[in-house]
């Protein structure tokens, strides 16, 4: 099958949905890119080039916005309520704080507070994650905050296939979706069908099957977990890797199904450890699978610090395959493990 | 070292580079005929059986149960009882010293292609060359991969095509949903590729399509192999058709797909995922609903072709599994007196996968006999 990059997969999802549905519009900082400069209108396509090429294919439906996140995220919420399906790009999730009212108090609440009479089919695309030396204000993994808010859906693709399918699902969904793109994954290639397709929300992907330990990993961490599992397989430890794909809704059932079989859990989460996806999933498993557990669940996360600017420290900050493998060994063989 | 035959890890499909030996089915020292089931193996996508490539005694089980072996790698050794132990040992030693994993796996083989038929893009895979041609036609919701264990084997000395019907696999998803339409796609496919006449091997709905074409255009159909075929009676498991269309999640899909096999363990997580990926393509849901409405309306088969097939002159072979939960095995007898019917014990609807070796031999003997 054809292979394209994670970035191309998102671009293709946007293009196909814009083609299919005239109410889909795209806007954000530099999404059109340098508008007013003849011949170079789509020179940018967003800060990383994800929307490149759409401006000319869909005249009038790809808009640049001022550097005013609270204004254009509010505009997206309003547009969604009045008949459009906006996909707004908020460059880095680190900047989301200036529009929490629009997201938490408005978009997430419309359907609930208007008695189910309002729909808010909007998508906010945003980059997250460390790894490009962009320091503390451009490198955070803030998806736990949005997962916490009822009324929002949160998608975090780990592969080009999932990126395209989850994006199409996000655009067709009638609720606000925060779509997290790990900037380090943009260049990753994978098999992606040319046709349009969806990946449903709330269904985890069994990336690898195994009987000894369940590793739940999110976004970029999935490929790290795969590397760890490969190494552990050499020593006879078989890992089962689950990628939740969406953290809201969360496919709890598949996680429990796996842990009931393996009896051991490692959660890998690039965000800070307190009130994180890792702590949430570990707590859910502790509550719901206590009888099955042969060892205390382990979390592999970033430390409780901002992402450092120093390359050496940044590399040490992000969970890596070695730390994942060590955690898996610990729950299988270590002092914490029960026979 | 003549008379020593390698039992190797088979290659099932393009992407397979290695497989796990699940278990041995025979002991060392067992006497084998070609095609005897020797071991169970599992690729990322599918479970299957490894068959003896030649007659002889299984002298050595080299691979351990649970071991992962590259495609073409050594599972065991078959040889005449007269071959001395020392020769077997040096055969194994030499093989292991010179075998380069990956070579066999990278020997990619043919890849699927597409051809335009009546304004629609039809995906197909071709194996082999020869004067005679066979075309493999999958069932409702299937695709050309349903012939994973059959196509290459049957392509020894003849050209064998497997195609995806509209609404399926990698073909255009628009479909009206009648047997006549699908039979027209097959004859259009033959026109496009310059195939005048072919043996048609159809599974389930594909069998009814093959039969429809044989009745409409007998000059183009050399023979019919009808495997667990539709078109031989009105009954069909409506629950399966409805369930397949409705299933959107892994769990529902798994229990629906398990109806297809006598051995439910053959439905791996990967198989379920692949079917779900197909079902989530735009247009598939609508295509399946149209096909079900046109060919199996109200949970009955709209076209029963038994009497017309009985009157026709095309050579026919019928193959069924006696544990078929989709189309009743009793339908195998509907052409009795007119066509031989082979009902395989302990096999389900996907009999060409579950009993690949046996089905391949039956088809080979039948088609080969006509050629």
């Amino acid at each position: 099958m054809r292979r394209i990059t994670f970035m191309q997969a998102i671009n293709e999802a946007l293009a196909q949905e814009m083609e299919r549905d005239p109410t889909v519009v795209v806007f954000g900082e530099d999404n059109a890119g340098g508008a007013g400069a003849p011949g170079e209108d789509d020179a940018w396509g967003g800060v990383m080039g994800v929307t490149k090429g759409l401006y000319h294919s869909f005249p009038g439906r790809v808009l640049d916005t001022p550097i005013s996140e609270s204004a254009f995220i509010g505009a997206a919420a309003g547009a969604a309520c009045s008949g459009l399906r906006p996909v707004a790009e908020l460059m880095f999730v680190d900047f989301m704080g200036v529009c929490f009212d629009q997201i938490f108090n408005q978009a997430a609440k419309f359907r609930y507070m208007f008695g189910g009479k309002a729909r808010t089919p909007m998508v906010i695309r945003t980059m997250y994650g460390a790894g490009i030396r962009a320091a503390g204000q451009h490198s955070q993994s803030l998806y736990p905050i949005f997962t916490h808010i009822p009324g929002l859906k949160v998608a975090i693709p780990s592969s080009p296939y999932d990126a395209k399918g989850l994006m199409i699902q996000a655009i067709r969904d009638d609720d606000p979706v925060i779509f997290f793109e790990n900037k380090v994954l943009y260049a990753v290639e994978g098999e992606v069908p040319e046709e349009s397709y969806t990946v449903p929300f709330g269904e985890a992907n069994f990336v690898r099957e195994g009987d000894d330990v369940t590793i739940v990993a999110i976004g970029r961490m999935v490929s790290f977990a795969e590397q760890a599992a490969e190494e552990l397989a050499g020593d006879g430890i078989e890992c089962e890797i689950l990628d939740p794909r969406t953290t809201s809704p969360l496919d709890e059932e598949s996680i429990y199904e796996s842990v009931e079989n393996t009896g051991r859990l490692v959660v890998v989460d690039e965000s800070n450890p307190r009130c994180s996806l890792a702590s949430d999933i570990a707590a859910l498993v502790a509550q719901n699978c206590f009888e099955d557990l042969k060892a205390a669940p382990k979390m592999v996360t970033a430390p409780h610090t901002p992402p450092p600017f120093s390359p050496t420290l940044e590399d040490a900050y992000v969970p890596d395959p070695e730390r994942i493998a060590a955690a898996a060994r610990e729950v299988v063989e270590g002092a914490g493990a029960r026979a | 070292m003549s008379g020593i035959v390698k039992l190797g890890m088979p290659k099932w499909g393009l992407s397979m580079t290695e497989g796990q030996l699940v278990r041995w089915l025979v002991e060392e020292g067992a006497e084998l005929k070609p095609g005897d089931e020797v071991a169970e193996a599992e690729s990322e996508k599918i479970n299957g059986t490894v068959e003896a490539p030649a007659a002889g005694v299984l002298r050595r089980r080299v691979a351990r149960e649970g071991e992962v072996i590259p495609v073409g790698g050594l599972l065991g050794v078959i040889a005449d009882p007269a071959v001395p132990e020392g020769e077997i040992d040096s055969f194994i030693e030499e093989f292991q010293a010179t075998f380069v994993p990956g070579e066999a796996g990278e020997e990619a083989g043919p890849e699927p292609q597409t051809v335009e038929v009546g304004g629609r893009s039809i995906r197909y895979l071709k194996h082999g060359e020869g004067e005679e041609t066979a075309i493999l036609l999958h069932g409702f919701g299937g695709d050309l991969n349903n012939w994973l264990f059959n196509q290459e084997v049957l392509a020894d000395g003849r050209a064998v095509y497997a195609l995806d019907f509209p609404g399926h696999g990698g073909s255009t998803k628009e479909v009206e949903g009648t047997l006549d339409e699908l039979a027209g796609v097959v004859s259009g496919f033959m026109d496009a590729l310059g195939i005048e006449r072919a043996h048609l091997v159809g599974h389930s709905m594909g069998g009814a399509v093959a039969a429809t074409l044989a009745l409409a255009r007998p000059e183009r159909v050399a023979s019919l192999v009808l495997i667990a075929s539709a078109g031989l009676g009105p009954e069909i498991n409506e629950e399966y058709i409805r369930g397949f269309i409705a299933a959107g999640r892994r769990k529902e899909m798994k229990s629906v797909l398990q109806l297809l096999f006598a051995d439910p363990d053959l439905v791996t997580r990967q198989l379920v995922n692949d079917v779900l990926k197909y079902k989530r393509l735009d247009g598939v849901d609508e295509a399946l609903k149209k096909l079900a409405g046109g060919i199996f309306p109200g949970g009955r088969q709209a076209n029963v072709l038994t009497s017309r097939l009985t009157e026709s002159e095309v050579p026919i072979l019928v193959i069924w599994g006696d544990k078929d939960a989709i189309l009743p095995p009793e339908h195998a007898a509907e052409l009795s007196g007119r066509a031989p019917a082979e009902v395989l014990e302990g096999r389900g609807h996907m009999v060409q996968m579950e009993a690949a070796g046996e089905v391949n031999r039956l088809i080979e003997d039948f088609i080969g006999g006509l050629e």
Side-chain angles (χ1 to χ4, degrees):
Chain A
M1 193 184 289
R2 174 192 66 149
R3 294 174 70 83
I4 58 174
T5 65
F6 190 92
M7 185 184 295
Q8 287 166 330
I10 295 169
N11 182 283
E12 187 169 277
L14 293 170
Q16 289 181 353
E17 284 307 284
M18 291 181 88
E19 184 68 46
R20 191 186 68 89
D21 180 351
T23 68
V24 177
V25 295
V26 166
F27 53 79
E29 291 157 13
D30 278 337
N31 271 203
E40 306 219 337
D41 290 358
D42 63 345
W44 279 96
V47 66
M48 295 292 186
V50 177
T51 56
K52 198 170 170 63
L54 299 178
Y55 178 81
H56 289 296
S57 304
F58 304 99
R61 291 166 62 193
V62 179
L63 310 171
D64 271 343
T65 63
I67 307 178
S68 178
E69 287 81 5
S70 47
F72 74 79
I73 293 299
C81 285
S82 42
L84 294 180
R85 287 187 181 268
V87 181
E89 176 181 310
L90 201 154
M91 224 179 260
F92 295 94
V93 68
D94 313 69
F95 308 162
M96 205 79 88
V98 295
C99 36
F100 273 1
D101 184 64
Q102 286 77 358
I103 299 170
F104 294 171
N105 257 346
Q106 308 304 328
K109 300 290 188 291
F110 288 155
R111 184 150 75 97
Y112 179 75
M113 297 193 73
F114 298 140
K117 289 177 184 163
R119 297 179 311 143
T120 317
M122 64 187 278
V123 180
I124 303 176
R125 290 184 41 240
T126 190
M127 282 189 280
Y128 79 98
I132 65 160
R133 318 305 187 213
Q137 296 155 325
H138 301 78
S139 304
Q140 300 172 84
S141 297
L142 297 178
Y143 41 80
I145 294 176
F146 301 89
T147 306
H148 183 75
I149 304 294
L152 298 180
K153 293 176 179 172
V154 179
I156 313 173
S158 67
S159 69
Y161 177 87
D162 284 350
K164 178 172 171 181
L166 287 170
M167 176 53 81
I168 291 177
Q169 177 63 39
I171 293 171
R172 296 180 188 178
D173 202 285
D174 281 341
D175 290 313
V177 178
I178 320 292
F179 194 89
F180 281 83
E181 301 168 14
N182 191 306
K183 36 185 130 32
V184 180
L185 291 181
Y186 279 139
V188 169
E189 283 193 4
E191 291 191 346
V192 178
E194 288 171 44
E195 295 159 280
S196 298
Y197 61 90
T198 55
V199 170
F201 287 176
E203 184 177 277
N205 184 25
F206 282 80
V207 178
R208 183 184 174 113
E209 294 185 48
D211 291 327
D212 295 327
V213 51
T214 301
I215 303 180
V216 178
I218 297 158
R220 184 185 173 206
M221 297 299 107
V222 174
S223 65
F224 286 0
E226 285 184 272
Q227 289 173 43
E230 201 59 45
E231 184 201 318
L232 292 165
D235 300 334
I237 298 174
E238 293 301 335
C239 304
E240 182 145 285
I241 302 176
L242 261 76
D243 170 6
R245 298 196 283 208
T246 57
T247 58
S248 183
L250 178 69
D251 183 0
E252 296 177 36
E253 201 186 329
S254 289
I255 296 172
Y256 303 155
E257 182 190 318
S258 178
V259 173
E260 279 165 19
N261 179 41
T262 62
R264 301 178 182 96
L265 175 72
V266 172
V267 195
V268 193
D269 180 357
E270 194 179 336
S271 51
N272 304 112
R274 302 291 319 284
C275 300
S276 63
L277 255 297
S279 60
D280 182 43
I281 290 169
L284 286 167
V285 165
Q287 280 188 79
N288 294 290
C289 308
F290 188 68
E291 297 297 314
D292 301 299
L293 285 173
K294 298 171 187 162
K298 267 206 165 296
M299 311 197 303
V300 181
T301 67
H304 189 69
T305 74
F309 179 53
S310 148
T312 311
L313 289 177
E314 187 185 25
D315 291 344
Y317 176 88
V318 181
D320 60 25
E322 289 70 38
R323 280 172 59 197
I324 299 168
R329 269 184 220 284
E330 178 69 21
V331 296
V332 174
E333 299 168 343
R338 293 186 273 175
Chain B
M1 284 181 282
S2 60
I4 300 181
V5 177
K6 172 189 104 178
L7 183 71
M9 176 61 72
K11 183 172 174 68
W12 294 317
L14 277 179
S15 60
M16 179 169 171
T17 55
E18 60 181 27
Q20 186 180 41
L21 181 76
V22 178
R23 63 191 178 103
W24 286 100
L25 299 173
V26 295
E27 297 296 323
E28 272 182 11
E31 266 195 52
L32 302 170
K33 298 187 303 300
D36 279 356
E37 297 182 350
V38 184
E40 264 178 40
E42 157 181 284
S43 77
E44 245 183 18
K45 300 220 178 250
I46 201 137
N47 293 5
T49 48
V50 183
E51 299 176 352
V57 169
L58 181 64
R59 297 289 295 269
R60 235 23 98 64
R61 304 199 308 195
V62 179
R64 285 173 287 109
E65 293 186 350
E67 199 175 344
V68 174
I69 305 284
V71 166
L74 193 62
L75 299 177
V77 177
I78 298 170
D80 192 83
V83 177
E85 286 294 314
E87 275 192 35
I88 304 274
D89 287 336
S90 40
F91 175 86
I92 294 171
E93 201 177 308
E94 192 189 326
F95 182 89
Q96 303 291 39
T98 55
F99 176 69
V100 183
E103 271 191 347
E106 281 157 22
E107 186 187 294
E111 295 215 21
Q113 307 171 57
T114 56
V115 63
E116 194 88 350
V117 176
R120 290 187 284 205
S121 169
I122 299 296
R123 184 179 73 152
Y124 70 97
L125 179 66
K126 183 190 180 190
H127 268 285
E129 294 289 347
E131 284 186 13
E132 299 273 335
T133 299
I135 304 176
L136 313 178
L137 304 172
H138 65 77
F140 176 80
D143 65 21
L144 54 81
N145 292 313
N146 292 167
W147 307 102
L148 201 60
F149 301 126
N150 317 100
Q151 190 177 3
E152 211 176 333
V153 178
L154 296 173
D156 187 11
R158 68 175 73 83
V160 180
Y161 296 84
L163 59 76
D164 290 338
F165 283 125
H168 293 80
S171 292
T172 302
K173 299 300 178 288
E174 283 78 33
V175 70
E176 286 158 34
T178 66
L179 287 181
D180 287 336
E181 179 200 13
L182 298 184
V185 168
V186 177
S187 63
F189 175 81
M190 292 171 71
D191 292 340
L193 293 174
I195 304 165
E196 237 168 76
R197 200 157 181 266
H199 302 279
L200 299 184
V201 180
H203 176 245
S204 198
M205 180 187 80
V209 174
T212 302
L213 183 58
L215 293 170
R217 306 285 302 278
E219 74 283 2
R220 307 209 60 177
V221 180
S223 75
L224 284 178
V225 179
L226 304 178
I227 303 174
S229 181
L232 301 181
E235 297 84 8
I236 182 167
N237 184 346
E238 187 186 7
E239 189 196 332
Y240 172 77
I241 300 292
R242 260 206 318 241
F244 187 87
I245 293 172
R249 298 273 165 160
R250 206 161 36 227
K251 264 204 174 139
E252 304 154 10
M253 199 69 218
K254 186 173 180 180
S255 59
V256 170
L257 291 178
Q258 283 177 333
L259 292 171
L260 291 172
F261 296 88
D263 175 4
D265 287 347
L266 292 174
V267 179
T268 59
R269 193 120 56 183
Q270 186 65 44
L271 178 67
V272 175
N273 270 345
D274 285 350
V275 172
L276 283 174
K277 277 185 173 180
Y278 153 68
K279 283 201 63 196
R280 288 167 182 168
L281 293 170
D282 274 10
V284 167
D285 191 53
E286 208 190 334
L288 291 174
K289 283 178 181 158
K290 282 187 172 173
L291 286 162
I295 301 175
F296 313 120
R300 307 281 284 177
Q301 298 194 45
N303 305 77
V304 179
L305 308 168
T306 318
S307 59
R308 290 176 64 205
L309 282 173
T310 305
E311 288 159 19
S312 75
E313 284 175 8
V314 61
I316 303 175
L317 169 67
V318 178
I319 300 173
W320 228 284
D322 73 342
K323 293 276 186 288
D324 195 322
I326 312 298
L327 291 169
E330 293 75 36
H331 287 190
E334 288 296 323
L335 293 174
S336 63
R338 167 66 177 81
E342 303 281 350
V343 180
L344 307 185
E345 236 175 85
R347 310 300 188 173
H349 188 61
M350 301 303 286
V351 61
Q352 82 276 30
M353 299 182 96
E354 273 191 284
E358 230 170 323
V359 168
N360 291 343
R361 265 188 308 286
L362 289 170
I363 298 174
E364 185 61 55
D365 289 351
F366 173 70
I367 295 183
L370 297 169
E371 288 168 4

